[in-house]
Amino acid sequence: MSQSENEKLLAEETSAYSSAARVKYYNIVIKSGKGATITDANDRTYIDLLASASATNTGHSHPHVVKAIQDQAAKLIEYTPAYFANDQGARLAPRLTKLAPISGPVELAWGNSGSDANDAIIKYSRAYTGRQYVVSFTGAYHGSTYGSMTVSSVSLNMSRKIGPLLPGVVKVPYPDPWQKLKGESEDDFVERMFNAFKLPFETYLPAEEVAVILIEPIQGDGGICKAPTEYIKKVYQFAHEHGILFAVDEVNQGMGRTGKWWSIERFGVEPDLMSVGKSLASGLPLSAVMGRAEIMNSLESPAHVFTTAGNPVSCAAANATIDVIEDEHLLDRSTKLGKLAEDFFNDAKKKYDFIGDVRMYGLDGGIDIIDPKTGKGDDEATTKLIYRIFELGAIIISLRGNVLRFQPPLVITEEQLKQAFKIIDQAFSELKEGKLSLPDNADEIGW
């Protein structure tokens, strides 16, 4: 292909594709992928450090997943599970509920995306409790349907010009590392943020009218940051003391991403409801809301049915995905390789004064790029870095303007990981030496 094949295809797409439907980063068209690499329309191959926004934890075109898709597609692509079960979905449902970090009988309902799974949390919570209010957190990304968008709080463009959004939603501050005061102890930080959490309940929000508290235990698009364990435990206890359901969004952080099946397993509490998507079917459209059986039976059909949700091909891909995670020990692999990544970025922090906080939970990392003089996030330096890393042959993006998002497929090899480290270190070195400049479309890049 010609050198301009990416540009040619993008030009063809531009007249037919809405600008609201893509967060811009690089002008490439992805043609193929294998394992932890992707290849663009110009036949250039990159190490993938994004894993399709953590939607391909098993890597691109894993042979076992591909075969499962091909075999099922040859037999039955779709017959709506809204009316009849299919054999793949019938096998998958009990398999997935068995993995849920919830004691007692657990049931699920299928969806097409993490967005509708989070909508389902709102539906089931209101139905079960008979209450209207939903509490979520600043910095959250829960999806782009009206319900999931309403409980999100990561970009003004997710509310600008499209209101009114869903009523009855109240947002409280997420205890992210940027909220911590200089010299503040962890205990004092947790107490201060928990007091901020309680403020609405003490001033205008009756706890007895709140149906659910929905949280990402580790925020994804909010910057890959983990809430303090003691904070989660306090919120969990508060919820249960007031008859409020505690729900977690595992769409980004689930399916082995953090070295455990679910990120909530790092906190020692059990959710009442949880949403799953993205890597559930290795990127094919499939999601699930899972929860305690009595909650999941609080609605009657057709309160949560979709024509293609739980279709045979997506369910076959999900069954194969679970096979791969188990057979290839991807939880352990995420933990082991995540430690290598954590060591690399912490070593880099010693060399480069523009690296701030390093957060790594398995192969799941957020690295802050800061202005050394002020200690504040440096969006321009971050954009220079990610673009240079792209030029050198790896795909990485930014969050919050100044956070490097590090989420490679869990099947990445140690050799590929070390090659990515070389690329990143070269970009770090060139930034330090003042050799990097902003790309021409810098003002379009990022969230």
Side-chain angles (χ1 to χ4, degrees):
M1 292 188 178
S2 68
Q3 187 64 30
S4 61
E5 190 65 17
N6 281 326
E7 290 73 20
K8 175 184 173 184
L9 290 169
L10 286 169
E12 291 176 1
E13 181 193 57
T14 296
S15 62
Y17 199 76
S18 169
S19 60
R22 179 175 295 144
V23 181
K24 290 186 178 181
Y25 280 99
Y26 315 117
N27 292 326
I28 59 172
V29 177
I30 297 171
K31 181 176 68 173
S32 63
K34 191 69 175 175
T37 64
I38 56 172
T39 300
D40 70 9
N42 289 344
D43 287 327
R44 187 178 183 200
T45 297
Y46 304 82
I47 298 172
D48 184 8
L49 303 179
L50 178 60
S52 186
S54 196
T56 52
N57 287 357
T58 59
H60 302 290
S61 301
H62 191 289
H64 184 62
V65 178
V66 169
K67 186 176 189 305
I69 293 170
Q70 291 173 332
D71 289 350
Q72 182 57 47
K75 293 191 295 184
L76 178 68
I77 293 176
E78 161 69 348
Y79 204 97
T80 178
Y83 295 123
F84 308 113
N86 62 74
D87 59 349
Q88 290 287 349
R91 287 196 292 270
L92 177 61
R95 197 176 179 193
L96 190 57
T97 56
K98 187 177 179 180
L99 291 171
I102 305 171
S103 299
V106 177
E107 295 185 3
L108 62 72
W110 300 125
N112 294 300
S113 72
S115 298
D116 62 52
N118 285 316
D119 280 3
I121 285 177
I122 299 171
K123 292 182 189 178
Y124 282 102
S125 297
R126 286 177 165 174
Y128 180 72
T129 63
R131 304 172 177 186
Q132 63 164 313
Y133 288 108
V134 175
V135 174
S136 63
F137 290 78
T138 56
Y141 178 79
H142 295 296
S144 290
T145 52
Y146 258 91
S148 62
M149 183 176 284
T150 304
V151 292
S152 297
S153 182
V154 74
S155 170
L156 286 173
N157 284 345
M158 294 180 70
S159 57
R160 181 178 280 126
K161 297 191 285 188
I162 54 179
L165 297 176
L166 194 70
V169 173
V170 175
K171 296 184 175 74
V172 293
Y174 188 84
D176 61 48
W178 307 285
Q179 302 291 333
K180 198 169 185 178
L181 302 177
K182 187 175 182 180
E184 188 175 33
S185 71
E186 183 78 357
D187 288 346
D188 287 346
F189 174 59
V190 167
E191 192 62 31
R192 181 169 61 82
M193 296 307 296
F194 185 59
N195 286 336
F197 163 82
K198 290 188 297 181
L199 184 60
F201 294 95
E202 296 168 345
T203 53
Y204 68 91
L205 180 64
E208 68 273 14
E209 295 183 23
V210 175
V212 65
I213 297 166
L214 171 62
I215 191 169
E216 294 169 278
I218 299 175
Q219 282 196 341
D221 293 288
I224 315 293
C225 51
K226 174 182 177 290
T229 298
E230 286 305 310
Y231 177 88
I232 292 288
K233 289 182 176 179
K234 283 177 176 288
V235 170
Y236 178 83
Q237 183 178 358
F238 179 92
H240 283 200
E241 285 176 352
H242 294 86
I244 302 169
L245 298 182
F246 179 78
V248 296
D249 180 339
E250 293 282 353
V251 175
N252 188 306
Q253 302 294 312
M255 299 302 293
R257 169 53 58 188
T258 70
K260 296 184 180 293
W261 273 105
W262 317 108
S263 66
I264 191 62
E265 292 179 281
R266 289 175 167 266
F267 297 84
V269 300
E270 293 187 6
D272 299 299
L273 287 164
M274 62 186 288
S275 54
V276 187
K278 286 188 184 287
S279 279
L280 174 57
S282 289
L284 262 63
L286 182 66
S287 67
V289 56
M290 295 194 284
R292 293 192 284 115
E294 63 267 29
I295 301 172
M296 298 302 297
N297 286 312
S298 62
L299 289 171
E300 296 181 6
S301 67
H304 194 68
V305 297
F306 305 90
T307 301
T308 59
N311 72 81
V313 176
S314 290
C315 287
N319 274 314
T321 297
I322 295 174
D323 290 343
V324 172
I325 293 173
E326 292 177 338
D327 295 345
E328 299 187 13
H329 309 289
L330 294 190
L331 304 186
D332 291 340
R333 185 173 185 78
S334 178
T335 300
K336 175 187 173 184
L337 296 185
K339 183 61 170 61
L340 292 180
E342 184 175 27
D343 290 345
F344 165 74
F345 284 112
N346 278 325
D347 287 344
K349 182 177 180 177
K350 297 172 185 175
K351 293 166 55 180
Y352 306 108
D353 58 5
F354 52 77
I355 297 178
D357 195 31
V358 173
R359 300 175 297 281
M360 196 70 59
Y361 322 104
L363 278 175
D364 182 46
I367 298 91
D368 296 348
I369 304 301
I370 62 172
D371 181 334
K373 295 179 180 178
T374 65
K376 295 182 179 180
D378 191 334
D379 293 7
E380 283 197 2
T382 307
T383 299
K384 290 176 182 179
L385 280 171
I386 64 170
Y387 203 82
R388 182 56 176 152
I389 290 167
F390 162 68
E391 290 177 329
L392 293 171
I395 297 292
I396 195 168
I397 67 168
S398 59
L399 298 169
R400 297 182 70 117
N402 75 297
V403 180
L404 300 181
R405 178 178 184 168
F406 186 83
Q407 291 184 310
L410 306 184
V411 297
I412 192 169
T413 66
E414 195 167 326
E415 181 181 355
Q416 288 171 327
L417 196 61
K418 289 179 179 178
Q419 180 59 36
F421 295 158
K422 289 181 181 179
I423 289 172
I424 295 170
D425 190 65
Q426 180 177 337
F428 285 164
S429 177
E430 291 177 357
L431 178 65
K432 180 180 180 179
E433 294 168 5
K435 294 180 177 179
L436 301 187
S437 58
L438 288 168
D440 293 338
N441 65 333
D443 58 337
E444 298 178 334
I445 289 178
W447 283 73

